[in-house]
Amino acid sequence: MVAGVDLVIRDGWVVTPEGVVEGDLAIANGEIVSVGTSVGDAKSSMSAKGRWVMPGGVDPHAHIEQMSGMGQWNADTFETATKSAAMGGTTSVISFAAQASKQSLAETVADYAARARRGAMIDYAFHITLTDTGVAAFENDLATLIDAGHRSLKVFTTYNIQLNDAELLRIFALARQNGALVCVHAENDAIITQAKEALIAAGHVTPSDHAKSRPRMAEIEAVERICRFSEYLDQPVMLFHISTSEGAAAIKEAQARGAPVWAETCTHYLFMTDDVLDKPGLEGAKWMCSPPQRTNSVQEALRNALHDETLSLVSSDHAPYRFDESGKLAAGPNAGFHQIANGLPGLETRLPLMFDAMVSNGRGGPEAFARLTATAPAQVYGLERKGAIAEGMDADIVVWNPDKQVTYGADDLHDNGGYNPWEGHSFQGWPDHVILRGQTLVKNGAFFGTPGQGLWIDRPKLATKPNGQSAQGAAK
């Protein structure tokens, strides 16, 4: 018998990295103290009979209280975004500390850390977005911040915040020296510019033209290039939001060569196609994101890449903008696609969509669901106490009702986006009870979180290791 227990969750199907365990899950002092062992008295208990007991979701790609690459603030604060995340079963998030022009990295991280301390209601970490490598003390600040536990960096190969190849190689070398993962938005800017300018010149500027403005080849070329940079310097990289079958294939080939390359995709690439942009007027702008949604055949290729672990995880790439003059329509009611902010909400919908596909409809099962949405993200990014149900881990738990059927409405999310991009979508399975470090955040639709209760997650070491042999070294 386990003694001194604060909460016991009884009789559920507990999903652990070793398999499904039927029995009790015991929590004390905010951490898991036993799994499957019979528990006697506890300060509190709940029945999970007929329920799946899963690790709290880990979403490693979300834009919160941040300026976009197009120069526009997104709709969320840390308070609204993290409430939304919790309502959907996510208990840890990695968002971005995005460097502004001429801003030091130390100031950048301090600014975002203050915002998160004020509002975050789930636990969080940051990717440091690098946009201006010429600021004073850049290399010293970067080394200090990495050593302080900020173990992932973000760079772009497109937008007005892109880094050129020489800058990218410099960042890769600095990350290699200091022990950080480099996350990349990989699209070829020249290909995008050529396609966009041709569409604008021809008068093709509707939201549905947005998909044509970012051709598949833009992603394919940039993914292949970043894989080679990774291989050349033996620098671990994470390729964000893969949206093409060819991109996934290039990643698989690089991994087979031994390159330290990881990659993700997102729910909107798995469950939407580009026809979602084809709406009357500017309505399709609600679904505009970059890269854009693709085709049914690409969806199947991405699912296969998740199955064979070429792609390690599924994130939301949460980036909400209201469908009004403060957001998507900031350039007016007749804006062209090139004047419309890219992004859509996803923190709250990621897990229900994935649960429906993988658990309710059998495309992978509960263990794969936990791995793709919690365990793998935590492992890749070095969130050592997150993402798995095991003794000694933080008690971040979600109890799922596998029978509950839900249809999303027009505006039923808890972020500040003002609309649900999955309106009308029906699915089965719902996060009834969400627990963060042993404390109830959500129960039967009621929210119990408070602003500032979320804690920063220290990442003392790099989890994604170099392979020990760079092509640069081999060429010497």
Side-chain angles (χ1 to χ4, degrees), residues 20-175:
V20 178
V21 176
E22 293 190 44
D24 294 350
L25 173 64
I27 296 167
N29 300 316
E31 71 175 44
I32 298 166
V33 294
S34 73
V35 182
T37 303
S38 180
V39 176
D41 293 335
K43 293 178 183 178
S44 180
S45 67
M46 60 175 287
S47 172
K49 191 171 182 62
R51 302 287 191 264
W52 289 104
V53 181
M54 297 279 192
V58 178
D59 193 337
H61 187 168
H63 301 271
I64 302 174
E65 211 165 326
Q66 180 200 329
M67 181 78 75
S68 75
M70 296 178 70
Q72 190 169 343
W73 283 96
N74 62 35
D76 266 330
T77 64
F78 272 91
E79 186 172 345
T80 59
T82 56
K83 178 179 180 179
S84 180
M87 294 296 290
T90 289
T91 53
S92 300
V93 66
I94 309 180
S95 61
F96 297 87
Q99 182 192 24
S101 177
K102 305 187 187 314
Q103 185 181 40
S104 76
L105 294 183
E107 182 184 359
T108 297
V109 173
D111 283 354
Y112 279 89
R115 295 170 199 173
R117 282 195 301 270
R118 180 179 64 245
M121 296 191 272
I122 64 174
D123 292 349
Y124 60 90
F126 299 113
H127 307 296
I128 305 174
T129 302
L130 308 177
T131 64
D132 188 345
T133 63
V135 296
F138 178 84
E139 292 193 7
N140 286 339
D141 278 358
L142 186 62
T144 298
L145 290 164
I146 292 170
D147 187 60
H150 300 283
R151 291 283 169 182
S152 51
L153 315 175
K154 168 75 178 294
V155 295
F156 287 82
T157 65
T158 187
Y159 297 120
N160 61 359
I161 53 174
Q162 66 180 288
L163 302 185
N164 62 38
D165 282 357
E167 291 171 314
L168 289 171
L169 287 169
R170 178 189 175 203
I171 296 304
F172 278 37
L174 289 170

Side-chain angles (χ1 to χ4, degrees), residues 207-228:
S208 63
D209 294 310
H210 167 68
K212 304 181 189 74
S213 78
R214 304 185 89 91
R216 294 158 64 108
M217 190 57 70
E219 175 175 290
I220 297 162
E221 187 283 329
V223 165
E224 290 176 343
R225 176 161 38 107
I226 294 301
C227 286
R228 291 297 184 181

Side-chain angles (χ1 to χ4, degrees), residues 284-325:
K286 292 178 178 179
W287 292 271
M288 282 177 54
C289 59
S290 293
Q293 300 88 341
R294 305 293 185 181
T295 63
N296 286 318
S297 63
V298 170
Q299 289 182 341
E300 189 60 30
L302 295 176
R303 291 184 189 117
N304 290 338
L306 287 167
H307 180 73
D308 69 16
E309 300 186 32
T310 298
L311 303 180
S312 298
L313 58 96
V314 177
S315 76
S316 69
D317 194 5
H318 176 80
Y321 298 90
R322 297 184 69 84
F323 189 63
D324 60 24
E325 64 278 0

